[in-house]
Amino acid sequence: GITIYHGDCRDVLPTLSFQVVITDPPYGVNLGEHNGATERRAGLLVKRGGYVDTPENFSDVVVPALSAAIAAAQRSMVFLVPPSMWQLPAPDAIGGIFVAGAVGRNRWGWSNLIHCLLYGTAPGLEKGARPTAIAKTATAERTGHPTTKPLPWLRWAASLGTADGETVCDPFIGSGTTLVAAKDLGRRAIGIDLDERYCEIAAKRLSQEILPLGAAQ
């Protein structure tokens, strides 16, 4: 089954049991609000129930929450970008999504890789290794969330990082794509988000009810 919690993941995570973390958290890049921003689409500044996606909030909120989630899981897959990702515990490997059309610019040129920090050991590795980076051209569906990831990306992640009978946790569900991917693969999944609007988007995609913070068992 799939469970969605509306609340602060720092409060909810200690009450949960899960084996795998797969998440695409806020990046701390303050999209649309910095001097070098050229993106003009509405809603790109991620505000989650009062959370503003600044580098300071990334350090103070996201890093402690993700570090706790990673420590509680057998393995984790965290989509992030430099330099924010270097604040997390050192991963065991780095994979990701290669996007030929670029996902931004850095001091050397175009950025074409959406990094995925990999913690622990992939399940079923004794049966053969699989690629930890893939090239994808899929686009995200329109959900009403500003940074929805394409579903094929998360299906790949869930396929690589989970085994039958395991529970996936996403502490920052956004539009719920991780949960949809887990459901498609027959995995149990738990999602958490501070913003009730995002919980509602995810719940609608999954035909789910949202549990309040105090309902965590």
Side-chain angles (χ1 to χ4, degrees), residues 98-149:
F98 176 78
V99 181
V103 293
R105 290 186 63 179
N106 56 46
R107 294 186 180 187
W108 284 75
W110 296 112
S111 297
N112 295 89
L113 182 65
I114 297 176
H115 300 78
C116 188
L117 307 186
L118 306 173
Y119 298 87
T121 301
L125 195 60
E126 71 281 358
K127 299 177 183 178
R130 291 183 287 170
T132 56
I134 56 172
K136 284 291 184 182
T137 58
T139 57
E141 64 182 277
R142 294 184 179 273
T143 64
H145 184 281
T147 56
T148 297
K149 288 292 185 290

Side-chain angles (χ1 to χ4, degrees), residues 15-107:
T15 72
L16 303 176
S17 176
F18 50 88
Q19 290 75 48
V20 187
V21 169
I22 300 177
T23 189
D24 177 51
Y27 291 173
V29 295
N30 214 6
L31 287 170
E33 292 293 318
H34 58 85
N35 291 334
T38 57
E39 181 57 72
R40 291 292 180 262
R41 287 176 295 168
L44 271 181
L45 179 62
V46 180
K47 296 183 179 179
R48 300 168 180 264
Y51 178 88
V52 181
D53 190 26
T54 63
E56 293 76 19
N57 279 349
F58 180 86
S59 299
D60 295 342
V61 177
V62 176
V63 171
L66 277 181
S67 298
I70 292 166
Q74 294 179 17
R75 72 191 76 88
S76 298
M77 305 178 72
V78 180
F79 290 93
L80 265 179
V81 296
S84 299
M85 68 187 202
W86 306 129
Q87 296 184 48
L88 288 179
D92 294 292
I94 297 179
I97 311 289
F98 176 78
V99 181
V103 293
R105 290 186 63 179
N106 56 46
R107 294 186 180 187

Side-chain angles (χ1 to χ4, degrees), residues 20-24 168-174 178-179 190-193:
V20 187
V21 169
I22 300 177
T23 189
D24 177 51
V168 179
C169 179
D170 185 348
F172 303 93
I173 58 169
T178 297
L179 306 187
I190 301 166
I192 311 164
D193 209 287

